[in-house]
Amino acid sequence: MSELTRISLAEARDLLGKKELSSKELTEAHAAAVEAARPLNAFITETPDRALAMAEASDARRARGEAGLLEGIPLAIKDLFCTEGVLTTAGSHILDGFQPTYESTVTANLWREGAVLLGKTNLDEFAMGSSNMTSHYGGAENPWRRSDSNAKLVPGGSSGGSAAAVAARCALGATGTDTGGSIRQPASFSGIVGLKPTYGRCSRWGIVAFASSLDQAGPMTRTVRDAAIMLRAMAGHDPKDSTSVDRSVPDYEAALTGDVKGLRIGVPKEYRVDGMPAEIEAIWQQGIDWLTAAGAEVREVSLPHTKYALPTYYIIAPAEASSNLARYDGVRYGLREAGDAPLVEMYEATRAAGFGEEVKRRLLIGTYVLSAGYYDAYYNKARQVRSLIARDFAEAYNHVDLLLTPTAPSAAFAMGEKMDDPVAMYLNDVFTVPASLAGLPGISVPAGLSADGLPLGLQLVGRAFDEETVLRAGGVLEAAAAFDAMPAFVAA
Amino acid sequence: MAIDKATVYGIARLARIRIDEAQAQSLVGELGNILDWVEQLGEVDTEGVQPMTSVVEMRLPLREDAVTDGGKPDDIVKNAPEAAHGFFVVPKVVE
């Protein structure tokens, strides 16, 4: 076991800054941890050689007195971010062998700030899933186990490989992407912090697109401070993404004052869904009590259209996906099947072989709701309801500064569960999807353990571009929860 | 809404995804369940509500109409399953 993989990103940064540690030492320890954690299947591609070269270059920069915000810090990258010259799969068979000739803006920002690439993490195929089980490479496994069972559990999804890697101490932090909960739900399942920034805060350029009006990149780390540090490096305006917002990036770490006195926290009554497990209800109440004890004013608010968020999402996201994924046709990259057949047959054979069942289901739903005669009934209706959902949040923020909810309706479930009922799987995102539809920033912070010893997260949702308040209150929750439980599997 | 097998085949053709008889049969149920579930949106009164076009209140930026990238044909075709002379190769489409 290496102590160097147990420290936080902030602690590593400080040790590197004081030259008590080199990036080479830190990176070697983490590359060894990545290798030791192979049973988790958290990585699709490991890049130890590149990591070492990047670490040595980082140490050389530091010796010259140049140091970025993440100088020398080894990170894992969700395999949805294009990385120049490194296999990028999106967890799909259809991108077999794809080596981008360009770098995504978010990862380029991380390397500019001195970070080191450990490898590319596993995910649900094209980020469509809440379990990691739809990955062509097999699902990543959660390093946590129930206290009374050895059943293998999912790390959540879609950024499940990133969550597993950070929880198992393979990486100091990882990137995720969140379309309907794909950062926050796996963070909750894996006992780590996951932050989905405001839509437009991080550039989407070079991230394999799923649903472009919802997709947003964010950090997954073991502490709130680490998330603040990473987000500052990831965020920023990018002319290559026309929806990226031209606003200055604050020093998010400076927002962590630990003070929430007078902050108004809303508890949306519609989130008390029927059949909510008692332990989810209890951890939510615990969060209310912690914030109240810290001086915040907690009050009930109403988000009347909450129950329509999931069906809205499952029209809009598949519709956008059916358009975005039209590009996988066997011509420009990846898999080609039936290359000698006529063109349309080649397309159909390639897409039949290249996409998994869940992706096909969503592409077919998306194609249907956009097709002639159904566009108004489904797609336009969903966009209208989306406006109402966003309006609910705007109205609530007239009265409160933040919302507090559970992150997910359960703790991690076993690999293979919920696979035969797509709608049951979709319900995982019941608490995360509304904020996605409204484009708002949300964080999941580990708050405690379930009766059978699994992590449970609490979610804070803030106003657009108010990640600072989200992080500040997240820090207070984190301090109150003092979550220090360790998963069953930790990379040696 | 119930959908039938012919509709499933029609959608699959539009989506350019080949499906076989067994898949079409199971998709009738799966897609039908999902569509039944999303149809609860019909309950919501959306009279006069603008469909959301952008979740962030911003105007799409304008930029100068200028070439900012290019001159890299090798990069463009580098990942092609089949390429020749800087072109993507596709099956014959004209008899």
Side-chain angles (χ1 to χ4, degrees):
Chain A
M1 185 201 84
S2 169
E3 292 299 328
L4 294 180
T5 57
R6 304 296 178 106
I7 59 179
S8 70
L9 188 158
E11 287 165 342
R13 174 195 61 181
D14 296 345
L15 288 171
L16 288 162
K18 286 187 276 186
K19 303 198 178 174
E20 290 172 16
L21 176 65
S22 69
S23 177
K24 184 162 183 278
E25 293 168 275
L26 186 65
T27 299
E28 281 173 342
H30 282 91
V34 169
E35 192 177 331
R38 279 182 192 163
L40 295 178
N41 197 27
F43 286 81
I44 292 173
T45 304
E46 299 171 10
T47 56
D49 296 341
R50 180 178 287 232
L52 198 59
M54 290 175 87
E56 286 173 347
S58 169
D59 286 332
R61 279 194 300 274
R62 192 180 291 281
R64 292 196 300 271
E66 305 160 14
L69 294 170
L70 293 170
E71 195 59 61
I73 300 287
L75 300 176
I77 300 297
K78 186 180 186 181
D79 205 14
L80 201 63
F81 291 81
C82 287
T83 40
E84 190 173 353
V86 176
L87 180 69
T88 298
T89 69
S92 182
H93 184 35
I94 210 162
L95 271 171
D96 274 4
F98 177 57
Q99 291 196 0
T101 53
Y102 49 86
E103 188 77 26
S104 83
T105 297
V106 163
T107 48
N109 290 347
L110 292 172
W111 315 144
R112 181 198 67 212
E113 296 297 338
V116 168
L117 171 67
L118 286 169
K120 305 289 293 289
T121 57
N122 206 346
L123 69 160
D124 283 292
E125 185 179 4
F126 286 107
M128 297 181 195
S130 308
S131 67
N132 235 254
M133 297 300 287
T134 74
S135 170
H136 175 65
Y137 297 88
E141 186 187 320
N142 197 321
W144 292 81
R145 295 272 168 102
R146 292 184 185 121
S147 47
D148 58 354
S149 153
N150 227 3
K152 292 181 175 184
L153 307 177
V154 302
S158 66
S159 311
S162 288
V166 172
R169 274 67 180 169
C170 299
L172 292 169
T175 60
T177 63
D178 191 312
T179 304
S182 281
I183 288 175
R184 292 161 286 162
Q185 183 256 19
S188 180
F189 277 20
S190 305
I192 65 165
V193 174
L195 172 64
K196 182 198 91 77
T198 312
Y199 182 81
R201 183 70 286 187
C202 295
S203 170
R204 291 181 296 105
W205 194 83
I207 300 172
V208 174
F210 162 15
S212 301
S213 78
L214 295 155
D215 296 342
Q216 184 60 204
M220 304 177 78
T221 55
R222 291 195 291 270
T223 72
V224 172
R225 180 172 301 276
D226 293 355
I229 295 167
M230 238 182 109
L231 177 61
R232 186 179 175 192
M234 293 169 72
H237 178 238
D238 176 12
K240 288 188 286 197
D241 172 4
S242 63
T243 61
S244 119
V245 172
D246 193 1
R247 291 169 77 118
S248 62
V249 179
D251 175 0
Y252 294 111
E253 205 180 354
L256 303 176
T257 60
D259 181 8
V260 291
K261 281 192 193 66
L263 198 69
R264 297 167 305 166
I265 312 271
V267 173
K269 64 179 184 189
E270 290 81 4
Y271 281 53
R272 289 193 196 282
V273 291
D274 290 342
M276 179 188 274
E279 58 190 9
I280 301 292
E281 187 117 31
I283 201 85
W284 194 9
Q285 184 58 48
Q286 179 69 73
I288 293 169
D289 295 344
W290 282 329
L291 288 171
T292 306
E297 294 168 22
V298 180
R299 63 182 76 168
E300 189 176 90
V301 295
S302 176
L303 300 170
H305 295 90
T306 297
K307 72 174 275 208
Y308 301 108
L310 271 178
T312 300
Y313 177 84
Y314 277 97
I315 292 173
I316 289 174
E320 294 185 18
S322 75
S323 171
N324 271 326
L325 272 63
R327 74 190 74 186
Y328 304 104
D329 56 6
V331 174
R332 286 159 293 172
Y333 24 62
L335 187 72
R336 170 179 285 190
E337 291 282 307
D340 297 327
L343 187 64
V344 172
E345 282 175 41
M346 187 278 281
Y347 291 157
E348 292 181 341
T350 297
R351 290 163 66 80
F355 293 136
E357 293 312 309
E358 178 61 19
V359 171
K360 283 182 197 168
R361 224 170 358 242
R362 296 202 197 186
L363 296 182
L364 294 172
I365 287 284
T367 302
Y368 184 69
V369 301
L370 291 177
S371 63
Y374 298 101
Y375 185 93
D376 280 332
Y378 290 105
Y379 183 62
N380 258 346
K381 182 77 180 182
R383 290 196 305 144
Q384 287 177 309
V385 179
R386 187 177 180 186
S387 291
L388 294 174
I389 289 166
R391 197 185 287 174
D392 284 354
F393 279 101
E395 170 61 25
Y397 288 126
N398 286 330
H399 308 287
V400 296
D401 304 303
L402 270 183
L403 299 169
L404 174 72
T405 79
T407 307
S410 74
F413 47 88
M415 296 176 93
E417 266 178 45
K418 307 190 193 212
M419 294 303 289
D420 46 1
D421 181 355
V423 175
M425 185 67 89
Y426 298 168
L427 293 176
N428 266 290
D429 294 328
V430 63
F431 300 134
T432 48
V433 152
S436 296
L437 289 169
L440 301 171
I443 196 170
S444 179
V445 178
L449 295 176
S450 66
D452 50 8
L454 296 178
L456 298 172
L458 284 172
Q459 175 181 233
L460 290 161
V461 177
R463 293 189 179 95
F465 299 103
D466 192 12
E467 283 83 1
E468 288 164 286
T469 303
V470 171
L471 286 160
R472 177 157 59 99
V476 169
L477 274 185
E478 177 183 55
F483 184 88
D484 59 1
M486 291 291 273
F489 181 97
V490 175
Chain B
M1 191 182 98
I3 55 170
D4 56 20
K5 217 193 293 177
T7 308
V8 169
Y9 275 117
I11 305 167
R13 194 176 58 248
L14 286 173
R16 297 282 186 265
I17 299 172
R18 194 182 62 204
I19 55 171
D20 60 26
E21 182 64 21
Q23 285 171 312
Q25 194 56 54
S26 71
L27 282 164
V28 165
E30 290 169 21
L31 301 186
N33 281 345
I34 295 170
L35 291 170
D36 280 346
W37 176 66
V38 299
E39 270 169 21
Q40 55 179 298
L41 294 189
E43 303 162 21
V44 185
D45 179 4
T46 51
E47 189 64 36
V49 177
Q50 282 297 313
M52 182 181 281
T53 48
S54 167
V55 70
V56 174
E57 287 173 31
M58 63 180 288
R59 288 161 69 108
L60 274 184
L62 297 176
R63 61 169 170 78
E64 205 178 325
D65 186 13
V67 176
T68 57
D69 201 356
K72 41 179 110 163
D74 293 346
D75 277 5
I76 303 293
V77 298
K78 177 172 173 283
N79 281 288
E82 197 180 345
H85 316 296
F87 292 93
F88 296 108
V89 176
V90 296
K92 191 171 167 184
V93 287
V94 180
E95 288 303 324

